[in-house]
C-alpha cells in the first residue's frame, strides 16, 4: 500500500467510439499526488498487454524516503481517508448536476497527515522558513492545531516566496514556494476536489491528473496520429497562463461544482495572499503561483471552461474531417485531417447580435 498508491486494475479495452487522443478516466482507489511539491515520480512499466501505448498503465510510487513508516495506525488512517473520499467520488459520478455544499468535514487530521507525508522532504521552505523535518517534530500536535484553525476559520494563508528559474529561451519562470502549512492544507483540499472534478474532466486532458502523465499524453498523440487521418498539426500553448488566470472567473468555475463557502474561502485566501519577493510583499490581482500545490488543480478547473468544452463542441459540430486533441496543462497539440479544417459555425442568436 505504501509503495504503490494506485490501483492495480488492468487497462480497459479501447473504446472504438471515443475520439482519438483521449484517455478514459478511471476511478482511483487510493489517491495520488502529481503536483510539483509531491513526492511521487513517474515510473514506466513495460507494455505486456499487447495493447496500444495509449492504453498501457503507469505506476506512480512514492519516493522511498517519503513513504510513511508502515504501521497499523497509518494503515487505518489511510483507510479512513480513502473511504471518506470514495463517497464524494461516488456522488460526483452519480449526480452530474450536483453542487457540494459540505466538504470541509472531509479535511480531517488523517488527511492532513497523509498530505504532509506526500510532500517532498527536500523541498525548499517558504517564507516561514520551516523545513519538512522541522515540522515533523511534534507532528501530531501541529496537525491537530492546524486542523482546528482551518475549521474555526482562523487559518491564515501566507504569501508564497517568489523565486525564478531560467527557461530554455533565456527568459525566467517565476515560481511560488508556499509555507509548510499552506502546502499541507492545499494538498488536502486538492485531494478532496480531485474526487469531484475527475468525474468532469474530458479525456484529452492529461496534465497534473491522478494516473495520467506526460508519457501517456505522448502515447495518446502517437496513437491518434498513426490511426486517424491527421495531415496537419497545430502545436501551441497559452502564453502566461498561470500568471494571467482570472481570479473572478476561476471562482465562478469552481462554484459550478462546489458550494461549500469554507472551501471557497480557502481558495480565495491562497489567491489573495500575494507574494514575497526579495523581502517585499506584492499584491496579486490575477494568476496563481506556479510551483504551489493547489495551482495545477485550479488550472485544470479553469481550462475546461475556456478551452476543452469549446474545442470538443467545435470539432463535433463545425470541423471538417478528423480532429484530435491532446492537452497537457496549458500546452495543446491538435491534429487535423484537412488544412481548411472548419465550416462557419455561428449560432443564430449570436449572428443576430
Amino acid at each position: 500500500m505504501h509503495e504503490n498508491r494506485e490501483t492495480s486494475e488492468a487497462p480497459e479495452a479501447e473504446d472504438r467510439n471515443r475520439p482519438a487522443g483521449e484517455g478514459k478516466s478511471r476511478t482511483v482507489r487510493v489517491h495520488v499526488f502529481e503536483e510539483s511539491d509531491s513526492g511521487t515520480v513517474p515510473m514506466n512499466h513495460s507494455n505486456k498487454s499487447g495493447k496500444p501505448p495509449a492504453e498501457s498503465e503507469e505506476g506512480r510510487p512514492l519516493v522511498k524516503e517519503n513513504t510513511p513508516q508502515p504501521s497499523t495506525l497509518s494503515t487505518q488512517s489511510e483507510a479512513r481517508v480513502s473511504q471518506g473520499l470514495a463517497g464524494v467520488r461516488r456522488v460526483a459520478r452519480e449526480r452530474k448536476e450536483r453542487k457540494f455544499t459540505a466538504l470541509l468535514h472531509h479535511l480531517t487530521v488523517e488527511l492532513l497527515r497523509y498530505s504532509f507525508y506526500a510532500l517532498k522532504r527536500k523541498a525548499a521552505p517558504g517564507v516561514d522558513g520551516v523545513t519538512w523535518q522541522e515540522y515533523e517534530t511534534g507532528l501530531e500536535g501541529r496537525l491537530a492545531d492546524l486542523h482546528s484553525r482551518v475549521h474555526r476559520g482562523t487559518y491564515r494563508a501566507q504569501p508564497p516566496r517568489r523565486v525564478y528559474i531560467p527557461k530554455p529561451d533565456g527568459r525566467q519562470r517565476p515560481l511560488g514556494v508556499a509555507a509548510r502549512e499552506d502546502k499541507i492544507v492545499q494538498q488536502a483540499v486538492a485531494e478532496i476536489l480531485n474526487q469531484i472534478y475527475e468525474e468532469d474532466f474530458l479525456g484529452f486532458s492529461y496534465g497534473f491528473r491522478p494516473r495520467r502523465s506526460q508519457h501517456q499524453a505522448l502515447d495518446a498523440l502517437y496513437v491518434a496520429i498513426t490511426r486517424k487521418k491527421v495531415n496537419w498539426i497545430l502545436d501551441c500553448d497559452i502564453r502566461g497562463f498561470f500568471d494571467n488566470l482570472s481570479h473572478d472567473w476561476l471562482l465562478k468555475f469552481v462554484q459550478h461544482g462546489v458550494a461549500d463557502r469554507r472551501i471557497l474561502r480557502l481558495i480565495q485566501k491562497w489567491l489573495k495572499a500575494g507574494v514575497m519577493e526579495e523581502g517585499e510583499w506584492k499584491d496579486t490581482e490575477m494568476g496563481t503561483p506556479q510551483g504551489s500545490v493547489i495551482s495545477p488543480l485550479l488550472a485544470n478547473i479553469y481550462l475546461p471552461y475556456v478551452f476543452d468544452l469549446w474545442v470538443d463542441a467545435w470539432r463535433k459540430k463545425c470541423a471538417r474531417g478528423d480532429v484530435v486533441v491532446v492537452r497537457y496543462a496549458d500546452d495543446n497539440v491538435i491534429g487535423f485531417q484537412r488544412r481548411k479544417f472548419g465550416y462557419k459555425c455561428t449560432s443564430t442568436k449570436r449572428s443576430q447580435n
Side-chain angles (χ1 to χ4, degrees):
M1 173 174 287
H2 294 293
E3 289 299 325
N4 191 343
R5 297 182 183 275
E6 292 194 357
T7 176
S8 58
E9 294 172 348
E12 297 182 66
E14 181 180 7
D15 185 351
R16 299 289 182 186
N17 297 321
R18 188 170 68 250
E22 297 189 11
K24 200 165 187 177
S25 61
R26 301 178 177 87
T27 302
V28 180
R29 193 179 300 136
V30 186
H31 314 289
V32 184
F33 307 95
E34 293 195 13
E35 289 77 11
S36 60
D37 208 283
S38 168
T40 59
V41 294
M43 182 181 71
N44 288 323
H45 290 181
S46 60
N47 184 11
K48 299 179 180 179
S49 64
K51 295 184 179 181
E55 299 179 42
S56 60
E57 298 262 1
E58 277 200 349
R60 270 184 162 45
L62 286 179
V63 176
K64 186 175 182 180
E65 66 173 4
N66 273 4
T67 305
Q69 293 300 316
S71 67
T72 303
L73 178 61
S74 63
T75 301
Q76 292 175 345
S77 174
E78 290 178 11
R80 287 193 293 269
V81 169
S82 181
Q83 291 171 2
L85 296 182
V88 178
R89 187 67 170 260
R90 184 170 57 253
V91 173
R93 183 184 305 114
E94 296 173 355
R95 297 171 55 191
K96 293 297 184 180
E97 302 300 322
R98 80 290 173 219
K99 279 193 177 184
F100 287 85
T101 58
L103 287 171
L104 194 66
H105 67 278
H106 291 289
L107 198 152
T108 61
V109 173
E110 287 85 358
L111 181 56
L112 291 174
R113 183 188 305 112
Y114 188 86
S115 300
F116 170 75
Y117 280 108
L119 300 176
K120 291 181 179 178
R121 291 190 178 190
K122 296 180 180 179
V127 295
D128 58 347
V130 178
T131 65
W132 190 96
Q133 290 78 7
E134 290 171 340
Y135 199 87
E136 189 184 29
T137 303
L139 178 63
E140 293 307 314
R142 292 177 185 268
L143 294 181
D145 176 64
L146 178 59
H147 175 267
S148 176
R149 282 185 280 126
V150 170
H151 283 264
R152 287 187 287 111
T154 58
Y155 158 78
R156 295 290 181 265
Q158 299 187 63
R161 180 171 60 87
R162 175 167 286 176
V163 297
Y164 292 88
I165 60 172
K167 300 176 68 173
D169 60 5
R171 294 180 298 167
Q172 290 188 316
R173 183 190 305 277
L175 297 181
V177 183
R180 184 63 49 186
E181 288 192 336
D182 292 332
K183 292 179 180 179
I184 297 171
V185 180
Q186 287 180 17
Q187 184 71 75
V189 170
E191 185 62 12
I192 295 170
L193 295 183
N194 262 328
Q195 310 312 309
I196 300 172
Y197 292 103
E198 275 298 309
E199 295 298 322
D200 297 335
F201 294 152
L202 298 186
F204 57 73
S205 167
Y206 286 87
F208 309 116
R209 293 181 58 186
R211 299 199 65 187
R212 292 192 169 216
S213 70
Q214 62 269 41
H215 304 292
Q216 289 175 320
L218 290 171
D219 286 346
L221 185 61
Y222 172 82
V223 172
I225 292 175
T226 56
R227 294 191 177 183
K228 305 295 283 188
K229 297 176 181 178
V230 174
N231 301 311
W232 300 87
I233 294 287
L234 174 63
D235 181 11
C236 59
D237 67 0
I238 303 174
R239 183 169 57 188
F241 169 72
F242 284 91
D243 298 331
N244 295 288
L245 179 148
S246 167
H247 292 173
D248 292 337
W249 279 109
L250 172 61
L251 290 171
K252 290 178 182 178
F253 296 153
V254 173
Q255 290 174 38
H256 281 306
V258 174
D260 188 327
R261 294 181 179 178
R262 299 171 297 176
I263 294 291
L264 296 175
R265 278 197 295 268
L266 285 174
I267 295 175
Q268 286 178 308
K269 287 179 180 181
W270 296 322
L271 293 176
K272 301 298 184 183
V275 296
M276 290 292 293
E277 186 172 356
E278 296 181 350
E280 180 182 351
W281 181 84
K282 295 183 178 180
D283 192 12
T284 50
E285 297 181 355
M286 61 178 59
T288 179
Q290 295 186 63
S292 76
V293 176
I294 197 68
S295 290
L297 175 61
L298 296 181
N300 276 341
I301 293 174
Y302 194 96
L303 283 166
Y305 291 101
V306 300
F307 180 78
D308 294 3
L309 296 176
W310 168 77
V311 76
D312 191 50
W314 176 86
R315 69 176 179 179
K316 292 176 180 177
K317 297 179 180 179
C318 310
R320 302 175 64 202
D322 288 341
V323 175
V324 300
V325 184
V326 174
R327 180 175 67 79
Y328 192 93
D330 58 336
D331 294 310
N332 308 279
V333 178
I334 310 174
F336 303 92
Q337 179 180 353
R338 302 180 182 180
R339 184 173 183 177
K340 295 182 178 181
F341 49 76
Y343 298 102
K344 185 177 181 181
C345 187
T346 307
S347 67
T348 303
K349 182 178 180 180
R350 180 174 296 179
S351 63
Q352 290 175 348
N353 293 333

